[in-house]
Amino acid sequence: MSSVYPDPDQPEPVDHFDRLPDSVLLLVFNKIGDVKALGRCCVVSRRFHSLVPQVENVVVRVDCVISDDDCSSSSSSSDKSRALVGPFSNLFRLVFGGIVKPLQALGQFLGPKRSVLNETLNSLSSSSLFVAPGVGDDGEMDHGGVTHHSPTQVLRNFNEIRFLRIELPSGELGIDDGVLLKWRADFGSTLDNCVILGAASVINNGISPEFGFGNGDDNGSIPETFYTNGGLKLRVVWTISSLIAASARHYLLQPIIADHKTLDSLVLTDADGQGVLCMNRDQLEELRVKPLSASSASKRTLVPALNLRLWYAPYLELPDGVVLKGATLVAIRPSEQSASKNEVSDSSWLSNAFEEPYGTAAKMLVKRRTYCLEMNSF
């Protein structure tokens, strides 16, 4: 049996990958984006390890989120073990498990014993913190005690993030099957605006034409039954619940925004597509300069006094044949903002709030009669 030995006279093979400039590798890493994949990349080589912290586009997909206050003790106890792998050990060790505890079903908010506002506040305040288990350096789950890592801890390893997207596993609002509820909120140091789209049920296309839903001949007026059968009360609950969910997300972003002054855009969404919180560069800077006002009731940002504009359709048939039953659109701005700003920006703002087909639904609803409401700070 003969052995094969390398020919000493033959030059070593050239690794063409090493010939790629750093700028090209960073383009690749920015396309990857996912924080766990980048964590694996950083342990491939010293070169990768030095380049990954320079990534500008980062996506964090987590199953649970915890606040920094609640994870400080666990993080300090694991500092020595993290030194083995280096500053990116957090990325490599994250194994996101568990399911975010949903909020109580909206129907439970409608009990006669307590007001809608108090019921909603109490139900949502208990769900402001979420926990994510870590794994040991050997890749196995810690059995002696669970190690927690917040997105803030993980993201501290990046130095030049410009575009950050954080995705939760599901929306916070536990709603009945078939109910549609989506929201989008923009924040600076407080709420800038919010738009909510809801429907009691979604009827897919293929419905027999004998039903003749159409879009009604009601001139956009809300029927009297809307006030007597709990329809308005339910929409108020949707609105308050969405605002509290958005303000709780905003509160959790404080340390991330403080740590990353290069951010141009921050989006906090969920895998269900239920809610989206957005902040642009100006809004991010506003929060750094003017700290948020926290609610005394729970870990969330205080919601200011609001002006609400509501549009409603008993049945709304979309171009693709989908019918929204009890379709409702709510546009929200702080009361201190001028009425003229509301009028000018409604069409463009609402038309871009949701992906299709719900963007079209918003455009159709805003053409109907407008109803104005006010809401106190909470």
Side-chain angles (χ1 to χ4, degrees):
M1 181 176 180
S2 60
S3 300
V4 178
Y5 298 94
D7 187 350
D9 298 328
Q10 185 176 1
E12 294 185 6
V14 177
D15 187 346
H16 294 285
F17 196 85
D18 286 339
R19 300 175 63 183
L20 291 175
D22 289 352
S23 59
V24 173
L25 291 181
L26 283 172
L27 285 175
V28 175
F29 291 149
N30 277 304
K31 289 292 184 181
I32 293 174
D34 180 72
V35 72
K36 289 191 288 185
L38 291 173
R40 298 185 185 100
C41 290
C42 75
V43 298
V44 171
S45 67
R46 291 182 178 180
R47 187 185 182 199
F48 281 18
H49 189 276
S50 66
L51 289 175
V52 168
Q54 303 175 42
V55 170
E56 296 180 342
N57 182 42
V58 177
V59 179
V60 181
R61 296 182 178 91
V62 298
D63 285 337
C64 299
V65 178
I66 58 176
S67 72
D68 295 286
D69 294 338
D70 294 307
C71 68
S72 58
S73 60
S74 61
S75 63
S76 60
S77 64
S78 59
D79 284 342
K80 292 183 179 180
S81 62
R82 288 200 297 267
L84 177 63
V85 181
F88 272 82
S89 59
N90 274 346
L91 301 179
F92 192 67
R93 295 172 57 196
L94 277 177
V95 172
F96 301 108
I99 301 174
V100 173
K101 179 181 179 181
L103 305 176
Q104 296 181 4
L106 290 178
Q108 297 179 4
F109 296 147
L110 301 179
K113 295 182 180 179
R114 308 171 80 176
S115 69
V116 174
L117 178 58
N118 288 338
E119 191 76 26
T120 307
L121 287 171
N122 292 336
S123 299
L124 289 171
S125 62
S126 63
S127 303
S128 59
L129 299 178
F130 311 106
V131 179
V135 295
D137 291 324
D138 56 358
E140 298 295 330
M141 187 70 69
D142 289 338
H143 296 288
V146 177
T147 301
H148 305 298
H149 301 291
S150 72
T152 305
Q153 292 175 305
V154 174
L155 292 170
R156 282 178 181 152
N157 299 299
F158 294 88
N159 304 321
E160 301 181 25
I161 302 177
R162 293 182 58 202
F163 307 100
L164 175 60
R165 179 184 177 90
I166 302 176
E167 184 177 294
L168 302 178
S170 62
E172 296 93 330
L173 307 181
I175 57 177
D176 294 335
D177 292 339
V179 173
L180 171 70
L181 183 58
K182 292 181 175 291
W183 59 266
R184 175 193 164 113
D186 286 60
F187 277 80
S189 60
T190 186
L191 178 70
D192 277 350
N193 59 68
C194 180
V195 57
I196 300 167
L197 177 67
S201 63
V202 180
I203 304 172
N204 293 322
N205 53 357
I207 299 297
S208 173
E210 64 182 332
F211 283 92
F213 285 135
N215 289 317
D217 300 323
D218 53 11
N219 297 320
S221 300
I222 293 179
E224 188 66 28
T225 55
F226 182 78
Y227 304 99
T228 59
N229 65 4
L232 177 60
K233 191 175 184 180
L234 180 60
R235 270 67 182 182
V236 171
V237 171
W238 287 354
T239 300
I240 295 175
S241 302
S242 299
L243 288 170
I244 295 177
S247 63
R249 292 188 186 188
H250 182 247
Y251 184 91
L252 292 174
L253 293 175
Q254 293 178 88
I256 294 176
I257 295 170
D259 286 346
H260 300 278
K261 294 183 171 54
T262 57
L263 276 173
D264 287 335
S265 171
L266 194 160
V267 175
L268 178 51
T269 184
D270 57 77
D272 294 340
Q274 184 181 93
V276 181
L277 183 151
C278 301
M279 299 181 72
N280 60 32
R281 186 171 185 83
D282 291 339
Q283 292 166 331
L284 291 163
E285 186 60 30
E286 177 187 321
L287 180 58
R288 296 188 190 102
V289 174
K290 181 182 178 182
L292 60 81
S293 297
S295 168
S296 59
S298 57
K299 292 186 176 181
R300 62 176 182 82
T301 302
L302 183 69
V303 177
L306 303 170
N307 287 333
L308 289 72
R309 308 176 70 192
L310 183 146
W311 297 268
Y312 175 81
Y315 293 97
L316 189 71
E317 185 173 0
L318 304 182
D320 61 358
V322 173
V323 175
L324 304 182
K325 183 179 179 182
T328 307
L329 181 69
V330 183
I332 305 168
R333 289 189 186 277
S335 301
E336 62 184 19
Q337 294 187 7
S338 64
S340 60
K341 184 175 181 180
N342 291 342
E343 296 289 347
V344 171
S345 61
D346 266 345
S347 57
S348 59
W349 165 40
L350 297 173
S351 62
N352 297 321
F354 305 106
E355 296 181 354
E356 294 300 335
Y358 302 114
T360 298
K363 294 177 186 177
M364 296 171 67
L365 283 167
V366 79
K367 296 177 181 178
R368 299 173 68 85
R369 180 170 297 180
T370 303
Y371 293 81
C372 298
L373 303 89
E374 295 181 352
M375 184 176 293
N376 293 330
S377 174
F378 61 92

